Amino acid sequence: MKKVPFVTKEKIEEIVQEYPTPFHIYDEKGIRANAQALKDAFSWNKGFKEFFAVKATPNPYIINILQEYGCGCDCSSMTELMMAKAVGCQWGDIMFSSNDTPAEEYKYAKEVNAIINLDDITHIDYLENAIGEIPETISCRYNPGGLFKISNDIMDNPGDAKYGMTTEQIFEAFKILKAKGAKEFGIHAFLASNTVTNEYYPMLAKVLFEVAVKLQKETGAHIKFINLSGGIGIPYRPDQEPNDIKVIGEGVRKVYEEVLVPAGMGDVAIYTELGRFMLAPYGGLVTKAIHEKHTHKEYIGVDACAVNLMRPAMYGAYHHITVLGKEDAPCDYTYDVTGSLCENNDKFAIDRQLPKIDKGDYLFIHDAGAHGFAMGYNYNGKLKSSEILLKEDGSYQLIRRAETAKDYFATFDCLPIYNKLIEDAK
């Protein structure tokens, strides 16, 4: 599959007259089409709801677009809960899936009417002490342990993950929660990350549906929803085939009818909390080539760095790169594409075959719409870049300004040196 940027060189040249590189840019048309496709794929389930993983792309404007398609918010921290409240989420619109959670965050989750998803059986007493009660609607995160396989392929290792309760614990947790006043229950599990196969969700669904049937039978708890969480991935590499959400939805439907319906549980709602699938392909990092270096290797230095997209540095993750305006040129040069951090792993590509890159060329780094800007940080005193929305009509809008030095120094306002620091930052 050829990767084609959703924005042209000409449009980027227009945008940089107002907002200099680097910046993240998002494709409104693609976001909307994908959100509708997900909604259609699970329309067979009356209670279906997507809780967008806010951690993937925490921008209120993006969340507002998704809300138009019935999406809620999956939050994992206080500030994400604050954002969900600010964009107008009501009861049933927020799922709070956190771990190692401070008491004040549970209190705030109750205040904003979030559905709390408990990560561990010991959190039952902790939650009750924090908010003074057990909510009538509650969810538990499940981790069956071992390896998660499709055929003979190992997809991930849940047994090595810090999240969720064991099989024995979740049964005991349901009994305790029911005795403490919980009336409606949910089950949640995340067993594999970034899967590029239509089989993952149906297989995960089968595991959860079978556990749900046993839980309801043995504990008497009414299971209201089953949250399949995330895990549907995207094809970061051009040779990968994308997931087909319609096929995935149909696969889950078949398992639902095979397992839940015969057990009298045909009213169970299906929830998802997709981040990468919802946004990653519809965002890119645009950066400018500003240096070239010829030593033991050929290097292209760009004005972005791992602060703007840390997945390559952190995971060795592959992100495809298009040199804008040279889409059809032969890829007959081998480069390391680097940022300016004082870290040797600050590289967007290593030994990558690309067209000849000249200083001043704009590079479009694909699939940065999720876990891109969100994972940014300020190492080396670097400042986070702006976020821009490419609208359906071809216009563009700033949806987050770039940080300034004044932002970076703002938390020194408790020190006498603060005024000196911001003199040159104004």
Side-chain angles (χ1 to χ4, degrees):
M1 181 186 74
K2 184 177 181 180
K3 283 191 171 287
V4 179
F6 55 77
V7 65
T8 64
K9 177 186 177 184
E10 290 72 26
K11 178 57 69 173
I12 292 301
E13 288 175 334
E14 177 187 347
I15 294 172
V16 298
Q17 298 304 309
E18 191 170 2
Y19 306 113
T21 55
F23 53 76
H24 284 80
I25 188 166
Y26 303 94
D27 175 23
E28 181 180 12
K29 183 177 181 181
I31 293 169
R32 289 184 178 278
N34 194 49
Q36 185 62 54
L38 174 67
K39 187 176 180 180
D40 291 345
F42 285 89
S43 60
W44 54 266
N45 182 259
K46 185 178 179 180
F48 173 75
K49 193 173 185 69
E50 155 66 6
F51 291 84
F52 173 65
V54 175
K55 62 181 172 288
T57 316
N59 189 295
Y61 201 100
I62 298 294
I63 295 170
N64 282 153
I65 293 174
L66 296 176
Q67 283 179 308
E68 294 181 34
Y69 299 86
C71 298
C73 291
D74 173 72
C75 301
S76 58
S77 69
M78 178 80 83
T79 49
E80 289 180 1
L81 287 169
M82 290 177 179
M83 189 175 295
K85 178 186 176 184
V87 298
C89 287
Q90 305 296 319
W91 164 248
D93 290 337
I94 306 173
M95 183 73 64
F96 185 46
S97 296
S98 61
N99 69 95
D100 198 17
T101 310
E104 58 268 23
E105 296 195 3
Y106 277 139
K107 291 176 184 176
Y108 190 72
K110 177 187 176 183
E111 181 182 325
V112 299
N113 290 319
I115 300 170
I116 294 173
N117 184 31
L118 292 176
D119 182 65
D120 187 66
I121 192 169
T122 63
H123 294 179
I124 296 173
D125 288 342
Y126 188 85
L127 173 66
E128 188 175 28
N129 290 333
I131 69 174
E133 62 181 354
I134 291 297
E136 289 191 359
T137 299
I138 193 93
S139 178
C140 291
R141 188 164 184 167
Y142 176 54
N143 184 337
L147 300 175
F148 189 79
K149 297 182 179 181
I150 295 178
S151 298
N152 292 320
D153 295 328
I154 296 174
M155 303 302 295
D156 221 321
N157 184 4
D160 197 40
K162 69 174 183 175
Y163 308 107
M165 306 180 195
T166 67
T167 302
E168 295 77 12
Q169 287 174 341
I170 198 169
F171 276 79
E172 184 63 21
F174 269 46
K175 293 174 184 176
I176 295 170
L177 290 164
K178 189 170 183 288
K180 288 179 177 288
K183 291 182 171 58
E184 294 186 320
F185 291 77
I187 311 171
H188 169 288
F190 180 86
L191 302 187
S193 178
N194 193 37
T195 63
V196 190
T197 168
N198 295 329
E199 296 179 58
Y200 169 64
Y201 245 27
M203 287 195 68
L204 170 64
K206 190 172 190 295
V207 170
L208 289 182
F209 295 170
E210 289 176 347
V211 169
V213 170
K214 293 177 183 177
L215 276 167
Q216 186 153 299
K217 182 179 180 181
E218 294 184 22
T219 69
H222 176 244
I223 295 178
K224 181 181 180 181
F225 64 86
I226 295 174
N227 190 334
L228 302 178
S229 68
I232 298 179
I234 65 156
Y236 283 99
R237 295 178 179 272
D239 59 354
Q240 292 177 302
E241 287 295 321
N243 287 314
D244 186 329
I245 196 62
K246 186 176 181 180
V247 173
I248 291 171
E250 178 62 14
V252 175
R253 183 192 65 79
K254 288 180 179 177
V255 180
Y256 188 98
E257 293 184 353
E258 290 171 3
V259 179
L260 292 181
V261 173
M265 297 174 66
D267 61 341
V268 173
I270 300 300
Y271 293 167
T272 58
E273 53 175 56
L274 301 169
R276 191 191 315 267
F277 176 80
M278 297 300 289
L279 257 296
Y282 312 107
L285 173 61
V286 179
T287 182
K288 185 178 181 179
I290 57 174
H291 290 288
E292 56 184 66
K293 184 175 183 178
H294 316 285
T295 54
H296 303 289
K297 301 181 77 173
E298 293 295 303
Y299 296 96
I300 293 294
V302 297
D303 59 3
C305 62
V307 163
N308 309 104
L309 179 63
M310 72 181 296
R311 294 186 73 254
M314 186 174 184
Y315 304 125
Y318 179 95
H319 280 263
H320 199 65
I321 296 175
T322 295
V323 183
L324 294 177
K326 298 181 179 179
E327 289 86 349
D328 297 322
C331 295
D332 50 4
Y333 283 75
T334 303
Y335 295 114
D336 280 14
V337 180
T338 73
S340 59
L341 289 187
C342 293
E343 293 289 343
N344 195 47
N345 66 352
D346 183 22
K347 297 178 180 180
F348 295 111
I350 298 174
D351 295 328
R352 185 74 61 85
Q353 295 295 119
L354 292 165
K356 184 180 186 303
I357 298 175
D358 299 301
K359 285 185 281 186
D361 281 346
Y362 294 106
L363 280 61
F364 182 91
I365 303 179
H366 291 254
D367 302 318
H371 311 292
F373 179 95
M375 294 178 73
Y377 57 119
N378 289 121
Y379 184 53
N380 278 190
K382 296 292 184 178
L383 305 175
K384 295 181 184 178
S385 51
S386 59
E387 292 182 294
I388 294 167
L389 183 72
L390 180 64
K391 305 186 84 171
E392 289 184 287
D393 63 5
S395 62
Y396 59 90
Q397 178 180 353
L398 183 71
I399 57 174
R400 190 195 301 259
R401 67 166 174 81
E403 284 185 336
T404 66
K406 190 174 181 180
D407 296 317
Y408 181 74
F409 294 133
T411 50
F412 290 118
D413 60 358
C414 58
L415 299 177
I417 198 173
Y418 175 70
N419 289 332
K420 292 182 180 179
L421 286 170
I422 64 170
E423 283 178 4
D424 292 334
K426 292 180 180 177

